[in-house]
Amino acid sequence: MKKIAIIGCGAIAGFVARSLDTEAGISVAFVVIQPGAEPDAKAVFGHGTPLCFTVEDFPCRPDLVLDCAGHAALIQHGEQILAAGIDLATVSSGALADARLLQRLSVAAESSAAQLRVVSGAIGALDVLSAARVGGLKSVIYRGRKPPASWLGSPAEDRLDLANLTTASVHFSGTAREAALAYPKNANVAASVALAGLGFDDTQVELIADPDVTENIHEVLAEGDFGSFEFRVRGRSLPDNPKSSALAAMSAVRELLNRVSPLVV
């Protein structure tokens, strides 16, 4: 039986917990939360799952920690978890646009032989990008297209009249690093594409507000010695939280199942 710990008690963590209820070979040993989140955590995981707040509070040593709580949680707990020799999987790839954080996490993982894994999240085709990088990847473009309301609370509000938008409009064009740092709640996909391919500074990103779409649309276009490919996914959100990608939650479950499956694809 694999013992995992989950950081967070939001929509993605809840989806993971529910999905693992019927899966053999994996148990949630405990949950890491922020002080004050105890009622939410108990509602998601039940009253029998131990709760803790720091790495020092861990009641046992898990086989893997799954971060479902966002950038702040990865910043707060990631280095200590990896330094303790515990593998860490995260949905918060956008936080790794901070070069200093990425360096600290990498050093911690290398020193303890632990591994930091970025789940695929709301996008796919990352395996193709990673493979193409080995043989000569030359250009990668990521385009993120969402309904105007999905960009509320982001810098798009300062560049577009989101409430009255009638045509699709680009509100950001630049590198993946710039996108991830400026749009921390919206650019995890751009960061994951960058990490799989050419890196944060050589991956180009366009972010678009489109009043004619109801789903989040992610596109990756890549060229290299392997040839070229275009990938597109129309993603729906979790019913519990319109801002959380259903596919991101599913990819977190897949990461856990890969730990116990006799065949991994």
Side-chain angles (χ1 to χ4, degrees), residues 61-235:
R61 182 181 179 87
D63 295 297
L64 173 77
V65 176
L66 175 64
D67 163 38
C68 300
H71 295 192
L74 182 61
I75 294 168
Q76 179 180 355
H77 303 295
E79 189 173 2
Q80 283 184 286
I81 291 170
L82 293 168
I86 302 170
D87 290 347
L88 172 64
T90 182
V91 300
S92 307
S93 57
L96 302 178
D98 181 336
R100 291 173 296 181
L101 175 64
L102 179 57
Q103 175 67 13
R104 293 201 309 272
L105 296 179
S106 298
V107 169
E110 289 172 2
S111 66
S112 68
Q115 191 174 58
L116 173 63
R117 298 183 60 85
V118 175
V119 304
S120 56
I123 191 65
L126 298 184
D127 55 340
V128 179
L129 277 179
S130 296
R133 182 178 60 189
V134 173
L137 188 58
K138 295 180 179 177
S139 78
V140 179
I141 299 172
Y142 162 70
R143 293 193 183 104
R145 185 184 302 265
K146 299 181 181 182
S150 295
W151 296 110
L152 293 174
S154 79
E157 286 188 301
D158 300 326
R159 298 167 185 168
L160 299 173
D161 182 2
L162 295 173
N164 298 298
L165 202 64
T166 58
T167 60
S169 302
V170 176
H171 54 84
F172 174 86
S173 181
T175 68
R177 189 180 305 279
E178 293 167 335
L181 294 175
Y183 294 77
K185 296 182 179 179
N186 293 276
N188 278 333
V189 173
S192 296
V193 170
L195 289 165
L198 289 176
F200 282 101
D201 297 314
D202 291 318
T203 300
Q204 298 302 305
V205 173
E206 291 182 359
L207 302 179
I208 304 164
D210 189 341
D212 294 324
V213 302
T214 58
E215 300 165 315
N216 296 340
I217 301 175
H218 306 287
E219 297 177 309
V220 180
L221 299 87
E223 295 184 2
D225 294 340
F226 72 97
S228 64
F229 83 86
E230 298 181 14
F231 179 85
R232 188 185 216 210
V233 58
R234 303 177 68 98

